[in-house]
Amino acid sequence: MVPVMTPLNQLQFKGSHNSYQRNEDIHVQIYGDIAFPYQGGCHGLEFDFTRHTDGSGGKAASYFEVTHDQGGDGSPLAAYFGYLLSYHLLHPDHDVVFVTLCIKSQDGDVTAFPSEFNAYIGEWFLESLLFTPSMMLQDEPNLRVAAERHGWPTRESLVGKFIFCVSGTEKWKAYYADSNVFQQLCFADLDVDVAKANPDLTLFSSRVVANMFLSSGLNFEVQVFLCAAINWIRRQFGIKRSRQV
């Protein structure tokens, strides 16, 4: 059993990719039984989505729809927020669930995205269940400094909570990350592809989550070390079963 006082950035948990495409429903993906650790127990979920602008300013259920395709159509993202809320009602003392929200949109007015997305979450989710960027600041000047000096909250303090993180199109998530931190309801990640030259993580004051690709080679080990040193959370793809990080 993982100690309840372990900070989130020192925890390791599995997640489902393209959670909306799996045969298992969202409740089944999250719920875990320690007797069957290979089934469920996903404390990381991912929903791809795209924006469909109307006149609602982000409050209509169909404003953001779940799809893997740029400009595609699908079920409202609000429906998946509903699945999260119903799981919480059934299991109010659940461990924190980290939800990656991957924006696929490329075109359109990116400057409206932060206010629209915050309005959408406020309309279709429950803000009190979220651990938000402003909660992490602790009077520090930015998220990078806050994470480096204080780390993330403990597992115990995040019981019953969700963390939303914007991923996907860089210019959209970058604009969201650099918007007013006191209005943000989501974090935003930074892509780190260890097969390429990687950015200096310490230059990004508004991001504390790395979206990492691949899992082998010296560059991977270096990036893992750097993330750990400055208390970033890592979301990783392509992890080999024989590796432990």
Side-chain angles (χ1 to χ4, degrees):
M1 179 67 71
V2 178
V4 295
M5 297 307 293
T6 304
L8 181 64
N9 54 292
Q10 295 179 21
L11 293 175
Q12 183 175 5
F13 54 87
K14 64 180 177 178
S16 59
H17 184 223
N18 296 340
S19 306
Y20 56 97
Q21 292 182 337
R22 296 194 58 84
N23 292 330
E24 303 91 349
D25 63 42
I26 300 304
H27 284 205
V28 172
Q29 290 181 49
I30 300 174
Y31 183 78
D33 185 338
I34 196 170
F36 304 97
Y38 47 86
Q39 294 179 344
C42 293
H43 294 288
L45 301 172
E46 183 203 39
F47 304 115
D48 301 305
F49 69 100
T50 189
R51 182 177 69 181
H52 293 274
T53 305
D54 53 28
S56 70
K59 291 193 173 183
S62 60
Y63 205 92
F64 294 104
E65 295 184 356
V66 173
T67 175
H68 203 277
D69 300 320
Q70 178 187 342
D73 298 311
S75 299
L77 181 58
Y80 292 90
F81 287 169
Y83 300 148
L84 298 177
L85 288 172
S86 60
Y87 183 85
H88 177 80
L89 288 174
L90 290 170
H91 309 281
D93 295 327
H94 61 81
D95 271 317
V96 63
V97 179
F98 191 94
V99 182
T100 298
L101 300 167
C102 188
I103 180 71
K104 294 296 185 179
S105 298
Q106 299 281 345
D107 302 320
D109 181 15
V110 68
T111 64
F113 175 57
S115 61
E116 292 171 342
F117 201 44
N118 291 334
Y120 191 85
I121 295 170
E123 184 74 16
W124 297 104
F125 199 68
L126 193 59
E127 293 182 31
S128 62
L129 298 182
L130 293 173
F131 176 74
T132 63
S134 64
M135 295 176 182
M136 190 167 180
L137 281 178
Q138 299 192 47
D139 297 322
E140 300 294 354
N142 56 57
L143 289 176
R144 180 189 63 79
V145 173
E148 191 167 356
R149 291 179 178 173
H150 307 289
W152 287 74
T154 63
R155 178 188 177 199
E156 181 181 50
S157 67
L158 291 172
V159 165
K161 295 290 187 179
F162 296 86
I163 296 175
F164 285 179
C165 183
V166 177
S167 189
T169 306
E170 171 59 24
K171 73 174 182 178
W172 287 64
K173 63 184 179 182
Y175 197 88
Y176 187 94
D178 293 333
S179 63
N180 187 337
V181 68
F182 294 102
Q183 296 176 358
Q184 293 171 10
L185 299 178
C186 310
F187 292 84
D189 67 28
L190 180 71
D191 290 339
V192 177
D193 187 340
V194 299
K196 303 176 182 178
N198 289 304
D200 181 352
L201 302 182
T202 63
L203 298 178
F204 293 84
S205 62
S206 58
R207 304 204 222 180
V208 286
V209 180
N211 189 40
M212 297 183 71
F213 302 89
L214 304 180
S215 60
S216 61
L218 177 61
N219 198 30
F220 173 76
E221 305 293 348
V222 169
Q223 290 300 322
V224 167
F225 175 80
L226 290 176
C227 284
I230 58 177
N231 293 328
W232 278 41
I233 285 178
R234 304 189 315 274
R235 175 175 178 257
Q236 297 173 198
F237 292 90
I239 298 174
K240 298 177 181 177
R241 294 182 180 180
S242 59
R243 285 185 67 89
Q244 292 188 1
V245 178

